[in-house]
Amino acid sequence: MTSQIALITGARGGIGRALVQRLKARGVRVAAVGRDAASLTDLQADAAIAADVTTPEGAAAALAATREQLGLPTLLAHLVGSTLIAPAHRTKAAQYAEVMRVNADSAFHMLTVWVDALRAEPEAARGASAVFASSVVARIGVANHEAIAAAKGAVEALVRSAAATYAPQGIRINAVAPGMTETPMTAGLLKMEAMRAGAAAQYPLGGVQQADEVAAVVDWLLSNQAARLTGQVIPVDGGFTQIRPLVKA
């Protein structure tokens, strides 16, 4: 039985790294994509590909390199992302454009080249699965997150529409919306004890979640165990967007 092939963008991030290991453990061949291939070498992926997927050309190059080295990826985890903590009135136009480019534009470009390749091979398309990264700030109002909330909201809308478009071909498209997660991107915030304690207190389940806890849900959505799920956004947030923590006097 031929093993599946997965393309992971943003693979050098905390969640991407954890996902590479999970997929490899269940026999999936993995192409890890990042802007700097040298930073991916310690992942032990089957292919390390340098590409900037925030452009149509970069997304196409990432897919082409994966096909050349491993074959057509029927699994896609698009984990490219950035954040910006600032209110709208203090967000410069260039900052807003950058947040949209990294988060929303990259998702659209990567989705486009991937589904285009699958549509040319209908047998491979049936059962194909993609997962995109949103955020809790797109699902509930959090102060000072207007730009990133808009960008991740666009990702969620893209997922729902694309899921409807490509369901007839058997392609599943979902997203995860993590809460505060221990990753290299959040290290600067979480190194401050007051910030860590404050963040942890907001989550009903308490604490700050680990990257592998998010990767586990991505892995499940990509697998056949989630074969009846498409167009969904799964919050991985310790209950943050749905319930309130019990406040003790």
Side-chain angles (χ1 to χ4, degrees):
M1 185 176 183
T2 304
S3 63
Q4 290 180 297
I5 298 168
L7 190 164
I8 302 177
T9 62
R12 71 188 181 115
I15 297 170
R17 286 176 173 271
L19 181 61
V20 169
Q21 300 311 313
R22 281 187 167 271
L23 291 175
K24 290 283 293 177
R26 63 180 178 93
V28 177
R29 301 176 70 200
V30 177
V33 179
R35 286 177 296 178
D36 178 18
S39 67
L40 304 171
T41 54
D42 64 325
L43 288 177
Q44 299 183 326
D46 298 282
I49 297 167
D52 179 0
V53 299
T54 65
T55 68
E57 297 79 12
L63 184 68
T66 301
R67 296 193 72 167
E68 180 180 351
Q69 296 183 46
L70 302 178
L72 176 63
T74 57
L75 305 179
L76 169 65
H78 182 71
L79 305 177
V80 170
S82 66
T83 192
L84 177 66
I85 303 175
H89 70 278
R90 291 183 180 172
T91 301
K92 293 181 172 60
Q95 291 177 301
Y96 174 77
E98 178 67 4
V99 169
M100 295 300 290
R101 181 184 73 86
V102 173
N103 293 277
D105 292 358
S106 69
F108 183 85
H109 298 321
M110 202 64 242
L111 172 72
T112 301
V113 299
W114 182 68
V115 296
D116 200 37
L118 288 171
R119 289 176 65 246
E121 299 189 29
E123 289 187 11
R126 190 149 297 279
S129 178
V131 178
F132 290 80
S134 180
S135 167
V136 294
V137 301
R139 308 194 65 70
I140 188 170
V142 178
N144 303 321
H145 285 73
E146 287 88 328
I148 187 61
K152 292 302 191 182
V155 172
E156 292 192 7
L158 172 66
V159 163
R160 286 188 289 270
S161 184
T165 300
Y166 302 111
Q169 285 80 48
I171 301 172
R172 297 188 300 108
I173 302 170
N174 294 289
V176 292
M180 179 67 78
T181 305
E182 191 104 42
T183 68
M185 189 167 70
T186 61
L189 287 173
L190 294 176
K191 72 179 180 181
M192 298 179 283
E193 285 304 317
M195 182 66 74
R196 177 182 288 273
Q202 297 181 62
Y203 291 86
L205 288 179
V208 176
Q209 65 196 20
Q210 299 302 302
D212 187 60
E213 294 176 297
V214 181
V217 179
V218 178
D219 183 22
W220 177 72
L221 284 171
L222 290 173
S223 76
N224 289 335
Q225 292 181 343
R228 295 297 294 175
L229 270 71
T230 194
Q232 304 300 312
V233 180
I234 309 298
V236 187
D237 63 3
F240 180 77
T241 56
Q242 294 296 321
I243 58 178
R244 290 289 163 266
L246 176 65
V247 179
K248 298 180 180 178

